[in-house]
Amino acid sequence: MKTNNCITSAFFGLFLFLGILSGNALLAQSNDTATLPEFTVDVSKTMGGFKPLNGVNGGPRIRLGNAFDNSEYFKTFGPPHVRLHDTRYSDEETVDIHTIFPNFDADENDPANYHFQKTDLYIKSILDLGAKVIFRLGESIEHGEPKFYIHPPADFEKWARICSRIVQHYNMGWAEGFHWDIQYWEIWNEPDIADCWSGTQEQYLQLYEITAKTLKKLDANLKVGGPTIAFNMDSELGEAFLKHCKNTNSPLDFVSYHIYSKSTDDFMKRIEISNATIRKHGFKDVEISLSEWNYIPYWPDGKNREASRDVFAQTTGAPGSAFTVSVLSYMQDTELDMAQYYSAFGTIFRIGLFDESGIPKKAIHALEAYHKMVQLGTRVSTLGNNQETGVSIIASTDLGEGKTAVLLSNFDDDVSRYKLQIKNVPFKNELKCSEYVLDDTHNLDLDREQILSSKDFSLIVDLPKSTVRLLLFEAL
């Protein structure tokens, strides 16, 4: 009996010990959950539609090196706008003025002196997607020496007339052209860097003024803009451009500038600075376009090929994907009217969405996730953004279809678990929650599915650094 009592006591002690451990573990888990940072979605508070900020630079047509039609991939991320810049690096002899009008000494009024066909095909491939075109009038960037095409035109007035003929071809049927009603015409690209403009600041301002006035005289309904600078609008050229347009009454329907950054906080502060500068100069109603943007950890020395490869692998990989989703989410609450990610090119472009074989890179799924969220149409209230570390939340709903989408991203925060609370879901039945993950090893793959039945419910979300999660809720 003593033996049995000893055995019984031993087992009781063991169970008590395990129970204490289990209780402590549950208590610790409960405490961990209670202290997790929170995301909140309130489905009852709608915020209208979404701004068209998920545009891109470059269309689906690839004719350099290999020939690809990436239209099927473009449809997965649905760009509302496609900006025509640097297109000759994916489809040679397109868009740039020297490719359309190769002999500057020729008669600009003779249709025979224009080579429109390749650009016609390039633009048609974009319009067939249902996207709008932003036509950059000027030349592509030229890395290395010597420079061939980024010099100031020999005759600014003639250059403006050539641009006018290009507008007439695409909007008024000139030279066996079209009536495509392309609205946005951007004058030159990055005249504040040597790889894009060899002239002076004053020469660019003069070129802009002459061209803008020529185009608006042709058609007052066109939207003409610039200066498409690489740096903030409070830079020397940015300020000079705004002052010049004001002083000379030069047409300015939209202002465009570019941002590349390694920090979501820096990125958003630069938008705030640029937009405030535009308004400070009295342009209260002008549209604002971030016509190039992306994540760049640092600009590598062009001579260090390994560094260049590694940097741009981050840009188009998981870190860049998380950065993309985060800033797309934040930008909805800025004064931006449109934005174009750089870039959607394929072939040799290291920063593009496709490799030289036409295979999509990971970053394409960041745009896809955002597009899936936007497609539901109505934005709803969210809380939980951390701009300093690149943590973001944005959500949309289609109450008629009983669907809600929540898009989460963690660019650079060390916290890896979050509590997501969904408030005021108006559906009586259960909800199916499908979670899709984009990270180093997943390409927006289905991670898990679960059934939720509470009107106001919460769930724990794993969201480590360089991770995007798309949660789709559907009423059953």
Side-chain angles (χ1 to χ4, degrees):
M1 291 297 293
K2 289 183 178 179
T3 302
N4 289 339
N5 286 339
C6 289
I7 293 173
T8 301
S9 297
F11 273 112
F12 178 77
L14 177 62
F15 284 130
L16 181 62
F17 175 71
L18 291 175
I20 292 172
L21 283 180
S22 176
N24 287 340
L26 290 173
L27 180 61
Q29 185 178 15
S30 176
N31 288 338
D32 287 346
T33 301
T35 59
L36 288 178
E38 293 187 0
F39 292 119
T40 303
V41 177
D42 191 337
V43 180
S44 68
K45 296 181 179 180
T46 60
M47 303 176 68
F50 291 89
K51 296 180 181 180
L53 302 179
N54 53 322
V56 295
N57 279 261
R61 181 180 163 86
I62 307 297
R63 300 289 296 179
L64 184 64
N66 295 306
F68 300 107
D69 180 357
N70 289 328
S71 295
E72 62 179 301
Y73 295 111
F74 271 64
K75 291 175 183 177
T76 67
F77 62 86
H81 299 98
V82 175
R83 178 178 180 246
L84 305 186
H85 173 59
D86 285 345
T87 61
R88 69 188 181 98
Y89 294 115
S90 60
D91 194 350
E92 56 191 345
E93 298 181 30
T94 55
V95 177
D96 291 348
I97 298 297
H98 84 272
T99 66
I100 294 177
F101 191 77
N103 180 7
F104 194 79
D105 294 327
D107 180 2
E108 72 273 18
N109 298 310
D110 185 350
N113 293 325
Y114 290 81
H115 297 175
F116 284 117
Q117 186 178 21
K118 291 184 178 181
T119 302
D120 293 349
L121 294 171
Y122 194 89
I123 293 177
K124 185 178 184 302
S125 72
I126 295 168
L127 298 178
D128 285 346
L129 296 170
K132 295 182 179 180
V133 166
I134 298 169
F135 200 116
R136 188 275 291 129
L137 294 163
E139 300 292 341
S140 297
I141 193 170
E142 289 189 67
H143 298 291
E145 297 293 339
K147 313 295 187 188
F148 295 98
Y149 307 112
I150 52 93
H151 310 300
D155 182 336
F156 287 7
E157 298 280 356
K158 181 173 183 176
W159 193 86
R161 292 194 297 272
I162 293 168
C163 292
S164 179
R165 287 301 194 186
I166 292 173
V167 173
Q168 288 177 281
H169 175 76
Y170 289 110
N171 286 358
M172 303 173 185
W174 184 76
E176 299 181 353
F178 309 93
H179 296 271
W180 281 342
D181 191 28
I182 297 175
Q183 291 182 299
Y184 292 92
W185 299 85
E186 196 176 39
I187 299 173
W188 213 264
N189 177 77
E190 296 185 351
D192 51 344
I193 66 170
D195 285 342
C196 289
W197 177 253
S198 69
T200 66
Q201 174 177 292
E202 290 71 24
Q203 284 176 308
Y204 172 72
L205 299 178
Q206 184 184 8
L207 180 67
Y208 178 87
E209 178 188 351
I210 291 171
T211 307
K213 289 180 176 180
T214 299
L215 295 186
K216 294 294 276 190
K217 184 177 180 180
L218 172 69
D219 182 356
N221 294 317
L222 296 178
K223 293 186 177 182
V224 181
T228 73
I229 55 176
F231 298 100
N232 297 354
M233 287 303 298
D234 66 338
S235 64
E236 181 182 356
L237 179 55
E239 297 262 13
F241 174 81
L242 295 169
K243 291 177 182 177
H244 185 83
C245 288
K246 182 69 70 174
N247 293 337
T248 61
N249 199 29
S250 295
L252 183 61
D253 299 296
F254 67 97
V255 177
S256 55
Y257 58 88
H258 303 162
I259 297 178
Y260 294 88
S261 181
K262 63 179 180 180
S263 159
T264 51
D265 194 43
D266 169 73
F267 189 98
M268 297 309 299
K269 286 178 178 176
R270 288 175 61 186
I271 289 177
E272 184 178 352
I273 289 169
S274 289
N275 293 354
T277 301
I278 295 166
R279 303 312 185 201
K280 179 187 73 174
H281 284 275
F283 294 97
K284 303 298 183 183
D285 300 319
V286 68
E287 293 182 47
I288 304 177
S289 173
L290 182 61
S291 62
E292 283 188 30
W293 66 272
N294 210 324
Y295 164 65
I296 296 290
Y298 63 91
W299 288 105
D301 180 354
K303 297 179 181 179
N304 189 331
R305 299 179 184 181
E306 290 79 9
S308 296
R309 176 199 62 200
D310 295 342
V311 164
F312 293 119
Q314 292 183 61
T315 298
T316 57
S321 298
F323 184 97
T324 295
V325 170
S326 292
V327 299
L328 278 171
S329 301
Y330 302 151
M331 288 193 297
Q332 281 293 331
D333 295 317
T334 68
E335 290 189 273
L336 289 175
D337 294 286
M338 56 184 176
Q340 295 92 47
Y341 174 93
Y342 190 94
S343 68
F345 296 136
T347 67
I348 62 173
F349 237 70
R350 298 165 297 177
I351 203 170
L353 290 179
F354 303 88
D355 68 15
E356 64 277 4
S357 298
I359 298 172
K361 298 178 184 177
K362 190 174 292 290
I364 198 173
H365 301 293
L367 297 176
E368 178 187 359
Y370 186 83
H371 179 57
K372 287 181 181 295
M373 187 272 306
V374 167
Q375 277 184 304
L376 294 190
T378 302
R379 186 181 173 193
V380 294
S381 174
T382 57
L383 295 173
N385 286 341
N386 185 340
Q387 183 176 301
E388 292 185 359
T389 60
V391 171
S392 71
I393 177 172
I394 194 165
S396 62
T397 188
D398 183 339
L399 297 180
E401 294 292 326
K403 296 178 180 180
T404 297
V406 180
L407 183 59
L408 307 170
S409 182
N410 179 357
F411 168 59
D412 198 31
D413 201 309
D414 291 329
V415 177
S416 60
R417 301 191 83 203
Y418 297 79
K419 183 179 180 181
L420 173 62
Q421 291 187 309
I422 312 291
K423 295 183 177 180
N424 299 318
V425 177
F427 312 118
K428 296 180 180 179
N429 298 324
E430 296 177 324
L431 289 179
K432 177 183 177 182
C433 175
S434 302
E435 292 188 44
Y436 298 84
V437 63
L438 172 60
D439 58 17
D440 277 325
T441 56
H442 299 88
N443 291 328
L444 206 62
D445 302 321
L446 181 63
D447 185 47
R448 68 171 177 170
E449 292 183 332
Q450 54 184 317
I451 305 300
L452 305 166
S453 58
S454 174
K455 180 180 179 181
D456 294 336
F457 57 86
S458 65
L459 63 161
I460 305 303
V461 178
D462 290 316
L463 196 70
K465 187 181 299 186
S466 296
T467 299
V468 173
R469 275 192 181 268
L470 174 65
L471 289 78
L472 299 179
F473 300 93
E474 186 173 3
L476 298 177

